[in-house]
Amino acid sequence: MEHVPPPAEELALLDRELARLDARRSQLLMRRAWLLSALGSPVAPSAAPPAPPFAAPPGHPAAPAGPPRSAQNVLLALGGLLLTVAAVAFTLVSWGDMGIAGRSAVLAVVTVAALATPAVLLRRGLASTAESLAALAAVLMVLDAYALHRVAVPEADGRGFAAVAAAVLAALWAAYGLLLDRLRLPLPLAVVSAQLPLLLWAWSAGAGATTFGWALLLTAASDCAIALWGRGVAVRVTACVGGWATGLLGLLVALAQSVSADGVQAASAPGALLLVGAAVAVFGAWRAPSAQAVAGGLVAGLCGVAAVGGVLRAGVTWDWSVPVYLLCGVVLLAAVRTPLPRPVAQGLAWASAAVTAGAVPAALPAVGMSLIGTVTQLVRVWSGVPDGGVRGALAAEGPAWSHLVSAPVVLLAVAGLLGAVHRFWERVLRAAGPVLSPGPGWRAAAGAGAVALGWAGLTALPAVLGWSYAAAVTVQLALTAGVFAVAVRGLRGGPGAVGATALVCGLLGAAGAGMLSLATEASTYTAFTVLLVVFGTAAVVLGGAAASAARALPPLPAVRAAHAVRMSQLVQAVPACGAVVCATVLARAVGESLGLAGYRAAPVMLVVPAVTVLLGGRLRSRPPALPVELSGGVAGVLAVGMAVPDLPFLALVLALCGVLAAGTAVRPERRPVAGPLAMVLFVLAAWLRLSASGVSVPEAYTLPVTVPALAVGVLRRRRDPQASSWTAYGAGLAATLVPSLFTAWADPHWLRPLLLGVAALVITLAGARLRLQALLLLGGAVLALDALHELAPYVVQVVGVLPRWLPPALAGVLLLVVGATYEQRLRDARRLKEVLGRMR
């Protein structure tokens, strides 16, 4: 017999029909809800009401729809809070209104009722109400303990009674929570109460800090056990928080006692406490989740180092405390190979790293004093070999170094450790593989740290050991050369962390050695000559290596290639600029040795920019070319500043700088900047020379220069119509107009300003007619300033006659007009800019 229709088709029909019925039922229910809200009166429930959101327990009638559970919890919490406040007020305020029997009976009855009622409520499914009453019962039990002390044993010590009461309450709450295991509050309360008995007992006994530490540590141990084997998440979390709080506090107490101990015997007791704390941390971390296990291993490792290091430190002087702790931290690495869980071993490794890293800052003051102290030589240049050796040169006597004896040992030890990690990286990976999985970046970081700390330790060594001045300068120069050799080796194959770190250390060392050498003339020449050779060699080697690496470099993405190019250019430019700085110092020293005054030594300084101009022409498009020329330009600026006190020498120096700029402008890539700069320098030199010579008629000297300059400009414009008018006519016009303008402002007669104004007007009109920007702007500026000079006396006279309120009023009106026509002024300014831009 076959189904008609087939079963699959019939099933689909039934599903569609049921869906239609469900949709219709939903519509009817929505309509019914709207009718109820519209009528506002209760209506008998339908024959088939919707199913309740939760089923009632067996044997219990279904609960009617009530307020939401969140509102119920709020009401229960408020009720419990009010009852608690009432109980506290009854105990503390109304206690004296009743006799001893009545007071005890009331509290006992209320407490027993509050403890018994949650059991009945739990059987009826009222868990939230039971929780509220359980909280009330907990408060009543605390009040019972207080009442018992006030009535039964008032003579007992309050702190000791509180310790016993806390222990009893913890036991009662634990038993109550285990009996009524559906309540969530009693067991966490028992854990919280268990934190107090030992501390209160130690307080009542007047115990010392070590005893308090033991009380805290034992409490933490019990919390650790509860966190591992307790029932429920709330109990374990509470125990975990309490264990961390009491354990860390106890360990801090033990650490303070260990550090302040003045002998081995005094350090033994806190050391034992720290070792027990380490054992507790390992015990808890062994079974804890991964993150907490790492933290436990870290705490255990730090405790072990503090315990052993504290005892060993007590047997040596305080200056060697840091090396002792460092040694213990290094030995702790051996624990990585023990059969510990991986997270615990990771924590121990991090503890060793933390101790090693923490030892470095304690040694850095010696390095800072060795570097910063050299700055004092800038105010004592060539004052002679300082008394007290290198410490005298650093302006720090013996007592300042007495507590820094171990600093180089610490820095060199950590540097050696990091260097070994960098050198034997594969062995380190095999040894740490089961515990740590360091990436390749860690190796580069270890190498960079080894270079930096090794350089820092050797830098501080001469001052710490109190060497002579000559020995210190020699060591600093040798150290700078060595670290630059490391930088060159690390950077020859491309930018890297080790090479970059060595380069930075080399720059700092060179600055320190250079300033330290300023005490005597001979040491200055020696030091800066050596540094010049070091910087120059590094620049040449890195430049050749970069060129070779660029040819052998495989194709890279655009972003990475651009980054590599920028880093390579920076690496080549730094030592090249350093060489220029050293040459500048040597040039200044030569002038001082020759006994030349400051301004007379300025031409000697120009040897440096002259050499950099030649080097720039030799290097051309190589990356160091521009930085070298800019560094030489800085030396030229210093020469100009030295020559300022004497106008003739200043004019000479400016003219020589103009020659150097003109020589640089021969190269097409430098011409847009160097050409105008040469013109400005030559014109300034001419003006200053005229001013220094007391010339009152500058036109007699400037016009013979202006006329041929303008003729050359005309020829230049005929050959190259696209040439700028500033290039063709700017220098020639400025050579006459500007000195004449300055002279006219100081001339009390009318002829010179008149002639200058006429000439400026002609030049301005010619610029406007021929559309030449230089003529228009220079002529217009000179004409305006000349007219202002002529009108200034009359303007001053008119301003003196006007009332004082009128100028501010006119300024306000002007601002209003400009503001009202702001957009139009902007358009006018843009049009003016476009017109000037179209001029040549």
Side-chain angles (χ1 to χ4, degrees):
M1 179 178 180
E2 295 182 357
H3 287 278
V4 179
E9 184 177 350
E10 184 180 2
L11 180 60
L13 291 173
L14 290 176
D15 288 340
R16 285 195 294 270
E17 186 66 20
L18 289 173
R20 187 184 65 79
L21 291 175
D22 289 340
R24 180 59 178 166
R25 185 173 182 274
S26 299
Q27 293 176 357
L28 293 176
L29 288 174
M30 292 176 63
R31 181 63 178 174
R32 180 178 182 276
W34 182 84
L35 291 174
L36 286 174
S37 63
L39 292 174
S41 58
V43 179
S46 59
F54 56 88
H60 187 74
R69 296 297 298 273
S70 59
Q72 178 187 8
N73 292 336
V74 171
L75 293 175
L76 291 174
L78 289 176
L81 179 63
L82 291 176
L83 288 175
T84 302
V85 171
V88 173
F90 169 76
T91 304
L92 299 179
V93 179
S94 302
W95 188 252
D97 297 339
M98 301 178 63
I100 182 63
R103 287 177 283 181
S104 302
V106 169
L107 278 178
V109 169
V110 173
T111 303
V112 170
L115 289 172
T117 304
V120 179
L121 295 176
L122 288 175
R123 285 196 297 271
R124 294 181 175 273
L126 302 176
S128 299
T129 309
E131 290 286 355
S132 300
L133 288 178
L136 175 62
V139 176
L140 291 174
M141 292 175 73
V142 175
L143 295 176
D144 286 334
Y146 170 75
L148 182 62
H149 176 260
R150 292 293 302 273
V151 174
V153 284
E155 70 282 355
D157 178 57
R159 291 170 293 185
F161 184 85
V164 175
V168 172
L169 288 176
L172 292 177
W173 282 335
Y176 188 68
L178 293 174
L179 182 63
L180 301 178
D181 55 356
R182 293 176 60 186
L183 292 176
R184 294 173 293 179
L185 187 61
L187 289 179
L189 281 178
V191 175
V192 173
S193 182
Q195 312 300 309
L196 302 177
L198 291 178
L199 291 177
L200 293 174
W201 167 80
W203 187 21
S204 64
T210 304
T211 305
F212 266 101
W214 280 107
L216 288 166
L217 191 59
L218 291 177
T219 304
S222 63
D223 288 331
C224 182
I226 295 173
L228 292 176
W229 297 304
R231 295 176 56 181
V233 177
V235 174
R236 294 185 177 183
V237 170
T238 305
C240 186
V241 173
W244 278 108
T246 56
L248 291 178
L249 186 58
L251 293 175
L252 288 176
V253 171
L255 179 62
Q257 293 291 310
S258 176
V259 171
S260 61
D262 54 358
V264 176
Q265 185 175 0
S268 300
L273 180 58
L274 288 169
L275 288 177
V276 173
V280 172
V282 171
F283 174 77
W286 201 295
R287 298 167 179 82
S290 178
Q292 295 187 16
V294 173
L298 174 63
V299 172
L302 294 177
C303 289
V305 171
V308 179
V311 175
L312 296 178
R313 178 208 60 80
V316 298
T317 60
W318 179 257
D319 301 339
W320 292 92
S321 298
V322 175
V324 169
Y325 286 111
L326 176 61
L327 177 62
C328 296
V330 174
V331 172
L332 181 63
L333 284 175
V336 176
R337 303 296 298 173
T338 58
L340 291 172
R342 187 172 185 268
V344 180
Q346 286 180 348
L348 293 176
W350 283 115
S352 176
V355 172
T356 304
V360 172
L364 291 181
V367 184
M369 293 172 62
S370 299
L371 291 176
I372 299 175
T374 58
V375 180
T376 59
Q377 289 299 319
L378 294 176
V379 297
R380 304 184 291 179
V381 177
W382 292 3
S383 59
V385 176
D387 297 331
V390 66
R391 293 181 179 178
L394 300 176
E397 300 300 330
W401 298 93
S402 59
H403 300 294
L404 301 174
V405 178
S406 62
V409 177
V410 172
L411 294 173
L412 294 176
V414 178
L417 181 63
L418 293 177
V421 171
H422 179 77
R423 176 67 178 82
F424 305 104
W425 181 250
E426 298 300 331
R427 297 183 185 179
V428 171
L429 286 181
R430 289 194 297 269
V435 178
L436 300 174
S437 300
W442 287 93
R443 182 181 186 183
V451 171
L453 296 179
W455 167 81
L458 294 176
T459 298
L461 191 62
V464 169
L465 298 181
W467 288 358
S468 65
Y469 174 76
V473 174
T474 303
V475 169
Q476 296 298 343
L477 291 175
L479 178 59
T480 302
V483 77
F484 262 103
V486 176
V488 169
R489 181 179 179 182
L491 295 173
R492 290 184 67 179
V498 176
T501 304
L503 183 60
V504 173
C505 293
L507 294 175
L508 293 175
M515 287 187 289
L516 185 63
S517 68
L518 295 177
T520 64
E521 184 176 0
S523 62
T524 300
Y525 280 109
T526 303
F528 281 96
T529 301
V530 171
L531 293 176
L532 177 61
V533 173
V534 169
F535 278 116
T537 304
V540 172
V541 174
L542 289 176
S548 301
R551 289 192 295 268
L553 192 67
L556 295 174
V559 177
R560 290 182 57 190
H563 177 70
V565 169
R566 287 194 297 269
M567 291 301 297
S568 177
Q569 293 175 351
L570 178 63
V571 165
Q572 297 175 59
V574 167
C577 295
V580 176
V581 172
C582 293
T584 303
V585 176
L586 287 174
R588 182 68 185 91
V590 168
E592 190 69 23
S593 297
L594 294 176
L596 300 176
Y599 65 91
R600 292 184 179 275
V604 180
M605 291 284 290
L606 294 180
V607 175
V608 177
V611 174
T612 57
V613 168
L614 296 176
L615 284 176
R618 176 70 176 173
L619 296 173
R620 290 202 174 266
S621 59
R622 295 183 183 179
L626 181 59
V628 166
E629 293 178 79
L630 292 177
S631 301
V634 172
V637 172
L638 293 176
V640 172
M642 292 169 59
V644 166
D646 189 90
L647 286 183
F649 263 88
L650 180 57
L652 174 62
V653 171
L654 288 174
L656 294 175
C657 291
V659 172
L660 296 176
T664 305
V666 174
R667 297 156 50 197
E669 69 274 11
R670 299 286 187 260
R671 187 172 301 152
V673 175
L677 179 60
M679 177 188 68
V680 171
L681 290 173
F682 282 134
V683 171
L684 286 175
W687 294 344
L688 289 174
R689 182 67 260 183
L690 292 175
S691 176
S693 301
V695 174
S696 60
V697 185
E699 293 82 2
Y701 298 90
T702 57
L703 283 176
V705 176
T706 297
V707 172
L710 293 178
V712 172
V714 171
L715 294 177
R716 170 70 186 277
R717 290 274 297 174
R718 286 182 177 179
R719 293 182 179 180
D720 183 12
Q722 299 300 322
S724 172
S725 61
W726 290 99
T727 304
Y729 309 119
L733 289 174
T736 295
L737 289 177
V738 177
S740 298
L741 179 63
F742 279 102
T743 307
W745 269 71
D747 193 344
H749 304 289
W750 59 271
L751 182 58
R752 183 188 301 275
L754 176 61
L755 294 177
L756 178 62
V758 171
L761 178 61
V762 172
I763 293 172
T764 304
L765 295 176
R769 177 67 180 84
L770 301 175
R771 305 183 63 81
L772 296 177
Q773 190 181 100
L775 276 67
L776 179 63
L777 294 182
L778 276 175
V782 172
L783 180 61
L785 292 174
D786 186 64
L788 178 62
H789 171 263
E790 293 303 307
L791 294 175
Y794 303 102
V795 172
V796 172
Q797 184 178 1
V798 171
V799 171
V801 174
L802 293 175
R804 294 188 176 182
W805 57 266
L806 187 58
L810 293 176
V813 171
L814 177 62
L815 291 176
L816 289 176
V817 172
V818 173
T821 60
Y822 181 72
E823 295 296 332
Q824 181 62 37
R825 300 288 79 77
L826 284 181
R827 287 193 292 270
D828 294 342
R830 293 192 189 100
R831 283 197 295 268
L832 179 60
K833 180 181 177 181
E834 293 172 358
V835 170
L836 290 175
R838 287 193 293 268
M839 292 183 178
R840 297 303 302 171

